[in-house]
Amino acid sequence: MDASFTAEQDEIRRTLHELLQKRCGSQELRAAVDSPAGHDPALWTALAQQLGLPGLALPEAYGGVGCSVTELALAAEETGRVLAPSPLLATAVLVAPLVLAFGTEPQRARLLPRIAAGSLTAALAVPGTALTTALTLTGPNGGEWAGGGRAGGVQARQVGDSGWRLYGQVAQVLDGHSAELLLVAAHAGGFARSRTLLFLVAGDAEGLVRVRQTSLDGTRPQARLELRDVEAELLGADDSPRVLRELSATGDTVAAVLAAEAVGAADRALERTVQYVKQREQFGRAIGSFQAVKHRLADAYVQVQAAKSAAYYAAWATGQGERVGGLALAQALEALRIAAAEGIQLHGGIGFTWEHDAHLYFKRAAGDELLFGPVHRLRAYAAEGAHLFENREVTV
């Protein structure tokens, strides 16, 4: 593994950093969060048309840039630094890889160029609160999370030879209120031929009700979806059980990108705190000169740098077939929680106020653990997969 960045990767980071510094300051962020879309459409257009961000990891044949997951992760690190609310995670990280891996050629040709151009936003709808289970990050992906029978979730029934109808509810869907395309995981077949399938649903489909929810982290807008006999298109050529395998394969990529994003947020939260303790004076001297404060910041710095190394390695490892995204995500979420908490504490009373941005990083840390963790479950499942705690008899 070459730990240095290429000139192209450095250019992606620099250009994106400059754009976000100009277009996603504190006031712009708060205005975007309070808007009906939950993000700034003009900023999203700039990210898509000027930088090609949604298509960064998509093949050139479908209008993408043709880069790897590493470049997408580095871009996510920059968006994480400013907590930029955008459809990038839901569209380019959660949905696009599934369409690429599982869709038919006509479906890919119809959807992926529009996703790469930023003209089509999408969201992945997984029933209940089982997104991390569906992505095989905190537990085995057996398909039970999709519902079926009395388990709730979303039910799919076939109408005619190729038509499908969906009925049910999904409680937490990232960008589900504004996405123009929904990728819905649903249960089909009943007890005799139970299986989980993925369906494409138009955002304006008849019978679809979307309600934006109040979320802990406003930069991660969520929605509740109600599907009342909604027309849907099956993703893929048939109803084979490959869905679970593809979801699992996508999960490691999602975790690697999320880890990089969390590292960016943690790095910026720590940087802001260091700047503040250099200026804030107590007893006639800057509080950053106190030994106790130095120790706390040093511990946070070590956590962030270790998480950054893990995130970079995870992004590189996705192309090598090594699944370490879950562990990198656990370390990154922990580093973000520590850096954000120290930021609140060392900013004093002002850190808790709505006017200060420190609380936004703390909410991102808490919200991400609720959505993609918690940390101890990410680590426990990784340890289980590595057979770390199995009892083994040792013969001499």
Side-chain angles (χ1 to χ4, degrees):
M1 174 186 177
D2 185 0
S4 61
F5 294 120
T6 65
E8 182 182 34
Q9 291 169 342
D10 282 331
E11 183 63 19
I12 291 172
R13 300 177 77 190
R14 184 192 63 80
T15 307
L16 182 55
H17 180 81
E18 291 178 356
L19 176 63
L20 291 174
Q21 287 295 311
K22 295 177 181 177
R23 303 286 296 272
C24 197
S26 179
Q27 293 183 349
E28 292 84 357
L29 169 63
R30 293 168 186 270
V33 167
D34 293 335
S35 68
H39 66 272
D40 181 4
L43 175 61
W44 175 243
T45 300
L47 293 175
Q49 295 183 357
Q50 296 181 24
L51 302 179
L53 218 58
L56 203 58
L58 288 176
E60 295 181 20
Y62 298 111
V65 180
C67 293
S68 67
V69 175
T70 301
E71 284 74 19
L72 184 59
L74 293 176
E77 182 183 2
E78 293 301 324
T79 61
R81 286 182 61 84
V82 295
L83 305 179
S86 78
L88 181 67
L89 175 62
T91 301
V93 182
L94 289 171
V95 173
L98 290 171
V99 175
L100 179 63
F102 204 71
T104 63
E105 185 55 37
Q107 287 173 335
R108 295 174 187 170
R110 185 176 86 243
L111 299 174
L112 292 180
R114 295 173 61 198
I115 288 177
S119 60
L120 178 67
T121 58
L124 177 63
V126 172
T129 56
L131 180 59
T132 54
T133 302
L135 297 174
T136 324
L137 295 177
T138 58
N141 185 351
E144 299 85 357
W145 47 268
R150 296 181 180 179
V154 180
Q155 313 297 315
R157 62 182 179 88
Q158 194 165 7
V159 180
D161 295 333
S162 58
W164 290 86
R165 293 278 177 172
L166 304 184
Y167 190 92
Q169 179 174 297
V170 187
Q172 294 177 318
V173 181
L174 287 174
D175 293 317
H177 66 293
S178 61
E180 297 157 313
L181 176 70
L182 299 171
L183 185 57
V184 183
H187 181 272
F191 181 79
R193 192 165 175 256
S194 174
R195 62 208 187 277
T196 302
L197 304 175
L198 291 175
F199 296 91
L200 299 168
V201 176
D204 57 355
E206 185 178 354
L208 174 64
V209 179
R210 307 195 285 181
V211 181
R212 183 175 177 179
Q213 304 285 76
T214 300
S215 57
L216 174 63
D217 177 14
T219 65
R220 294 256 200 242
Q222 302 174 38
R224 185 184 76 250
L225 306 184
E226 296 178 5
L227 300 104
R228 304 169 181 173
D229 201 32
V230 174
E231 182 179 1
E233 176 187 354
L234 179 67
L235 180 67
D238 52 43
D239 57 355
S240 69
R242 276 200 310 130
V243 169
L244 300 181
R245 187 168 66 250
E246 295 297 345
L247 275 169
S248 178
T250 302
D252 195 64
T253 298
V254 173
V257 175
L258 280 169
E261 187 188 58
V263 160
D267 197 28
R268 179 55 180 156
L270 181 60
E271 182 181 289
R272 292 173 64 106
T273 304
V274 170
Q275 292 173 350
Y276 178 78
V277 299
K278 288 180 178 179
Q279 301 170 358
R280 175 75 168 89
E281 291 189 358
Q282 190 74 33
F283 306 113
R285 55 190 286 196
I287 63 173
S289 65
F290 298 144
Q291 195 72 9
V293 173
K294 290 180 179 180
H295 285 169
R296 293 175 68 167
L297 291 175
D299 289 343
Y301 177 79
V302 170
Q303 288 280 352
V304 172
Q305 292 304 310
K308 185 178 294 188
S309 296
Y312 290 166
Y313 181 82
W316 172 82
T318 55
Q320 314 302 314
E322 185 179 357
R323 292 183 62 91
V324 293
L327 278 175
L329 178 58
Q331 190 154 356
L333 290 179
E334 185 175 46
L336 175 55
R337 174 167 28 93
I338 291 172
E342 291 292 359
I344 292 286
Q345 289 291 321
L346 295 177
H347 273 85
I350 194 174
F352 289 90
T353 64
W354 179 253
E355 290 75 19
H356 202 278
D357 289 345
H359 74 99
L360 297 177
Y361 288 88
F362 188 81
K363 289 178 180 178
R364 168 61 69 90
D368 273 9
E369 278 212 60
L370 290 173
L371 280 171
F372 307 111
V375 168
H376 71 273
R377 290 189 60 192
L378 288 166
R379 285 180 172 150
Y381 187 65
E384 181 183 335
H387 309 288
L388 193 60
F389 300 116
E390 285 187 358
N391 291 325
R392 298 179 182 177
E393 293 184 1
V394 178
T395 59
V396 179

